[in-house]
Amino acid sequence: MVMEWHVNFGSKVVQVVAAVLITLFLQFLIYHFTAIIVRHLVKHAKGETKLDEKKREDTIIAIIRATAVFLLWFVALCAVFTILGVNVAALLTGAGFIGVFVGLSAQNTVKDILAGMFILIEKQYRVGDIVTLSGGTLGAFGPTGVTGTVIEITLRITKLRDESGKLITVRNGEPTVTFNQTTSASGIILDLKFTYKTDVDAAKKLINTVGAEMNADEAWQGYFSSPIGFVRVENFTDTGVVIRAAGLVEPASQWTVAGEYRRRLMKAAAKNKDVHFAYGMNV
C-alpha cells in the first residue's frame, strides 16, 4: 500500500513537472514567434511613418503575448489541478469561485479589457508614445493626470515611465481623456519674447530664416514635416512682445529639435541689431 502510494505520488510529480516544463517551452515559443508573425502580417498604413508602424507592431505584440501567456498558464494550472485529482469543473462553477470573482471587481476588469481593446483598435496610443492619461480634468495650464512614455500595454493596464524614471501603472478603463504627444508628428510651439525696440518684421524674417536653414541642414532636415516659422504676434506684456513660432517634426523629437532651434536663434539674434530678446522670456 505504501509502495503504491509512493509510485502514484512520484508519477504525479513527474506529470506536474512535465506540464510546467511544457508550459515554459510554449511560453518561449509565444515570445519568440509572436514578434516574427506580427511584423510579417501587419501592413503599412497610408500616411504612417516607419516609427508609427513599429510602435503599432510593438503594441500588438505586447498585447498578444500578455493575453496568450495568461491563457497558457490558466490552462496549465487547470492541468496541474487535474493531475493532483482536483475537480476543476466543480471548482470553476462553484459558488465560492463566483463569489471570489465578483469580489475582485469583475465589472471593472471587463471594463478595463474592453478599453484595452479599443486602445489597440483605435490606435489611441502605442508602445513608445509619450502620453498624458487624465481623469477628464483640465487644469489652468493644460491637462492634469500622469505623463510618461508608454513601455507596456496589456488588455487590462498601461505602464508608463515618467521623466524621473518612476513606473506608473494605469488601468485602461480609468482615463477619460488621453493626450498623445508623439503620434504621426509632434508639434513645436515657441512663444518668443522680444523687447519693444525690436523690429517685428526683422524678428519674423529671422525666425523664418533660422527655421529654413535648420530644415536644410543635412543633420536636421530628416526631423521636419514642416520647418519652424513665424505664426503671429501672440501677445503684449509689460516686458515685451510675444511672437509665436511653430513647426512639425518627427514623433518624440520636438524637445531635441526645439533646443537646437533656440540655440541657433539666439546666436543669429546676437548678430542682428534690430532683434533683441526680452528678459523673462518663456520659450
Side-chain angles (χ1 to χ4, degrees), residues 22-266:
I22 290 171
T23 303
L24 289 171
F25 177 70
L26 292 175
Q27 179 176 305
F28 169 79
L29 293 180
I30 289 171
Y31 268 83
H32 182 70
F33 286 105
T34 299
I36 296 173
I37 294 170
V38 169
R39 296 198 195 284
H40 178 72
L41 293 179
V42 170
K43 302 300 181 184
H44 183 75
K46 185 178 180 181
E48 189 176 48
T49 66
K50 287 289 185 182
L51 181 59
D52 286 333
E53 183 180 353
K54 184 178 184 304
K55 286 180 180 178
R56 184 157 58 95
E57 290 170 352
D58 289 344
T59 302
I60 295 171
I61 290 167
I63 289 180
I64 291 176
R65 278 176 175 171
T67 305
V69 168
F70 171 80
L71 293 174
L72 176 65
W73 281 101
F74 178 77
V75 171
L77 189 62
C78 290
V80 169
F81 281 151
T82 301
I83 292 169
L84 296 176
V86 177
N87 189 333
V88 176
L91 181 66
L92 293 178
T93 57
F97 178 82
I98 294 173
V100 171
F101 190 71
V102 173
L104 292 175
S105 303
Q107 289 183 338
N108 283 337
T109 301
V110 172
K111 176 185 174 183
D112 294 338
I113 290 173
L114 289 175
M117 292 173 64
F118 281 113
I119 287 169
L120 177 63
I121 294 169
E122 298 172 350
K123 304 178 188 176
Q124 295 176 24
Y125 52 83
R126 293 77 44 95
V127 171
D129 280 343
I130 298 173
V131 300
T132 297
L133 303 180
S134 170
T137 303
L138 293 179
F141 301 101
T144 60
V146 292
T147 300
T149 302
V150 179
I151 61 171
E152 184 181 348
I153 303 175
T154 70
L155 285 179
R156 198 180 70 83
I157 62 170
T158 294
K159 293 182 179 180
L160 309 178
R161 182 81 66 184
D162 70 7
E163 287 185 337
S164 66
K166 292 196 297 289
L167 177 66
I168 304 168
T169 302
V170 183
R171 288 176 32 230
N172 288 335
E174 186 66 23
T176 54
V177 181
T178 301
F179 297 84
N180 191 333
Q181 302 180 51
T182 55
T183 179
S184 299
S186 294
I188 292 177
I189 297 177
L190 301 173
D191 286 338
L192 307 161
K193 189 184 291 185
F194 299 94
T195 67
Y196 285 112
K197 291 181 180 180
T198 293
D199 183 328
V200 173
D201 291 332
K204 174 181 177 180
K205 183 178 179 180
L206 187 66
I207 289 168
N208 290 337
T209 299
V210 172
E213 288 175 352
M214 192 171 172
N215 184 44
D217 189 328
E218 248 181 63
W220 293 94
Q221 62 185 188
Y223 284 90
F224 289 96
S225 301
S226 174
I228 299 172
F230 174 89
V231 177
R232 60 179 173 266
V233 175
E234 181 67 16
N235 200 4
F236 297 106
T237 71
D238 292 340
T239 55
V241 57
V242 178
I243 295 178
R244 174 161 292 186
L248 284 176
V249 293
E250 287 292 300
S253 67
Q254 62 265 46
W255 300 284
T256 302
V257 174
E260 174 64 12
Y261 179 84
R262 291 188 189 100
R263 186 187 71 82
R264 292 180 178 225
L265 186 64
M266 287 190 71

